[in-house]
């Protein structure tokens, strides 16, 4: 979708100019790019023939690692690691925040594994502790960063070549960092500092009106950082290659447009020959239009001048 909107593929660009995509939804997250090496694991390879060129694209979708499910897994993990079965200390929630949830709400998703000894619906009291370091540590426990021998990987043992080129990051990745004003190409250290500073703001400091969505800002933006850095293996340098966007060429970016383009065969596999002819006829039409407009303007000016003269105004 992004390369279609940017029109990068028309001219058979060098591989490193093809833009990669990073997506974070509610239930899953995706990474897609054109790697500089061969793709060793064919289950992550997607072959596309677009505008007469072949592309071997790396892509993987991690189920349950979308924002909502990941934060649910985090809560369940904190619950299971909690010394008291009815209390959850949540390091990613602001200090002073408290809520009661039930175990049935917490374990109602296939992404979270209920404890082996199921108990009747219990009420759990969740208390925020606003501790950014503990928050990062708790989030990292949701991932398995161990790779098999002699291969590079993303997480949970999924093969991934090293990231390469420019990336556009959208959906949840954009929204979380945009809320903290961090989508303007800020350095990774500034982003880290800003997220940490937000995490230590206590619940009472937020304006009472509309503060419910502020509860998750620390958790969600810390999750985004862990996912991009430890998960997808971006670093201080490649961080600057990630462009956080909502729109490309005035179109909202997401998976739906690409899905539709594919279903309707809107991207030709061969270089369209018509493009040149189309452009030429457009050019001719534009030239004719311009000529007509110039003539009209000239006529209009003449008429105005004549009127001014006849009504006694001084001529220009
Ligand atoms: C592109 O892939 C097709 C098969 O999908 C193959 O027939 C063709 O030769 C390839 N073209 C190039 C330039 O590699
Ligand atoms: C949670 O439940 C406890 C009693 O179980 C109650 O004292 C407390 O006020 C409740 N907290 C909230 C935020 O509703
Ligand atoms: C790792 O891969 C390299 C190149 O693909 C190969 O030469 C080497 O023998 C491999 N090492 C192991 C331990 O598999
Ligand atoms: C983590 O992943 C590695 C490699 O895929 C695997 O061998 C290991 O068992 C996993 N660890 C856990 C705790 O799941
Ligand atoms: C982001 O910037 C806007 C305007 O510059 C400001 O009103 C808002 O408070 C900032 N948000 C944060 C979280 O710093
Ligand atoms: C706060 O919430 C109310 C009602 O949900 C809404 O009308 C208002 O625009 C919100 N204000 C802000 C600043 O988001
Ligand atoms: C794209 O369309 C082709 C048929 O035109 C289909 O075989 C393929 O599965 C589609 N890809 C996706 C991701 O839907």
């Amino acid at each position: 979708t992004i390369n279609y909107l940017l029109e990068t593929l028309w001219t058979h660009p060098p591989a490193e100019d093809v833009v990669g995509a990073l997506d974070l939804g509610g239930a899953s997250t995706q990474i897609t790019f054109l790697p500089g090496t061969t793709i060793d694991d064919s289950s992550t390879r997607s072959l596309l023939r677009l505008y007469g060129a072949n592309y071997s694209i790396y892509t993987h979708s991690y189920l349950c690692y979308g924002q909502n499910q990941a934060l649910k897994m985090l809560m369940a993990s904190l619950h299971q690691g909690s010394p008291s079965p009815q209390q959850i200390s949540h390091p990613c929630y602001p200090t002073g925040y408290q809520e009661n949830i039930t175990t049935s709400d917490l374990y109602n998703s296939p992404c979270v594994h209920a404890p082996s000894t199921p108990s009747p619906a219990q009420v759990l009291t969740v208390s925020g502790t606003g501790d950014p370091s503990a928050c990062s540590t708790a989030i990292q426990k949701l991932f398995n960063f161990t790779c098999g021998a002699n291969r590079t990987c993303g997480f949970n043992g999924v093969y991934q070549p090293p990231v390469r080129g420019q990336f556009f990051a959208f959906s949840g990745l954009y929204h979380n960092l945009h809320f903290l004003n961090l989508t303007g190409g800020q350095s990774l250290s500034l982003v880290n500092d800003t997220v940490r500073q937000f995490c230590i703001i206590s619940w009472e400091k937020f304006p009472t009106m509309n503060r419910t969505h502020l509860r998750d800002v620390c958790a969600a933006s810390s999750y985004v950082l862990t996912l991009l850095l430890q998960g997808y293996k971006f670093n201080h340098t490649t961080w600057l290659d990630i462009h956080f966007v909502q729109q490309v060429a005035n179109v909202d970016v997401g998976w739906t447009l690409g899905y539709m383009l594919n279903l309707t065969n809107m991207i030709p596999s061969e270089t369209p020959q018509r493009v040149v002819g189309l452009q030429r006829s457009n050019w001719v039409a534009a030239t004719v239009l311009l000529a007509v407009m110039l003539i009209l303007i000239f006529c209009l000016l003449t008429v105005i001048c004549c009127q001014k003269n006849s009504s006694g105004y001084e001529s220009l």
Side-chain angles (χ1 to χ4, degrees), residues 179-181 198:
F179 182 78
L180 296 173
N181 292 336
F198 191 91

Side-chain angles (χ1 to χ4, degrees), residues 129-292:
T129 59
D131 180 344
S133 305
C135 174
S136 287
T137 310
I139 288 173
Q140 284 169 28
K141 285 193 193 144
L142 306 177
F143 298 83
N144 178 351
F145 295 122
T146 315
C147 286
N150 209 15
R151 69 205 296 249
T152 52
C153 71
F155 55 92
N156 295 358
V158 174
Y159 165 78
Q160 184 198 303
V163 291
R164 183 180 73 154
Q166 305 293 307
F167 282 81
F168 278 31
F170 44 95
S171 310
L173 298 170
Y174 169 82
H175 291 296
N176 286 312
L177 293 193
H178 180 69
F179 182 78
L180 296 173
N181 292 336
L182 293 174
T183 48
Q186 284 85 352
S187 70
L188 181 54
S189 13
L190 180 62
V191 172
N192 269 323
D193 287 350
T194 310
V195 170
R196 292 180 78 85
Q197 269 158 32
F198 191 91
C199 287
I200 57 177
I201 302 176
S202 66
W203 186 240
E204 288 73 32
K205 295 267 170 61
F206 293 131
T208 324
M209 215 174 75
N210 303 14
R211 65 178 172 180
T212 27
H213 76 282
L214 295 174
R215 181 195 68 185
D216 288 335
V217 171
C218 168
S221 37
S222 304
Y223 177 67
V224 163
L225 288 176
T226 304
L227 177 68
L228 292 177
L229 301 172
Q230 280 105 317
Y232 294 151
K233 311 286 188 284
F234 285 90
N235 59 29
H236 272 85
T237 313
T238 51
W239 173 263
L240 298 170
D241 297 334
I242 310 178
H243 308 275
F244 294 91
V245 296
Q246 182 171 32
Q247 292 193 323
V248 172
N250 289 326
V251 175
D252 278 7
V253 207
W255 60 270
T256 38
L257 176 58
Y259 184 68
M260 193 202 71
L261 289 172
N262 184 52
L263 287 188
T264 54
N265 287 323
M266 285 288 284
I267 305 186
S269 54
E270 301 310 319
T271 314
Q273 294 304 314
R274 267 179 307 129
V275 168
V276 177
L278 208 69
Q279 279 176 344
R280 188 168 299 142
S281 63
N282 278 349
W283 186 80
V284 170
T287 313
V288 170
L289 192 69
L290 192 68
V292 170

Side-chain angles (χ1 to χ4, degrees), residues 7-46:
E7 300 179 357
T8 33
L9 302 178
W10 285 32
T11 51
H12 297 185
E16 58 271 19
D17 288 357
V18 176
V19 178
L22 301 163
D23 192 1
L24 175 67
S28 62
T29 177
Q30 289 80 32
I31 178 168
T32 305
F33 62 101
L34 197 56
T37 57
T38 54
I39 300 170
D40 294 341
D41 178 352
S42 64
S43 71
T44 60
R45 184 169 53 213
S46 179

Side-chain angles (χ1 to χ4, degrees), residues 98-100 123 125:
Q98 215 180 52
E99 71 171 343
N100 290 332
V123 175
T125 301

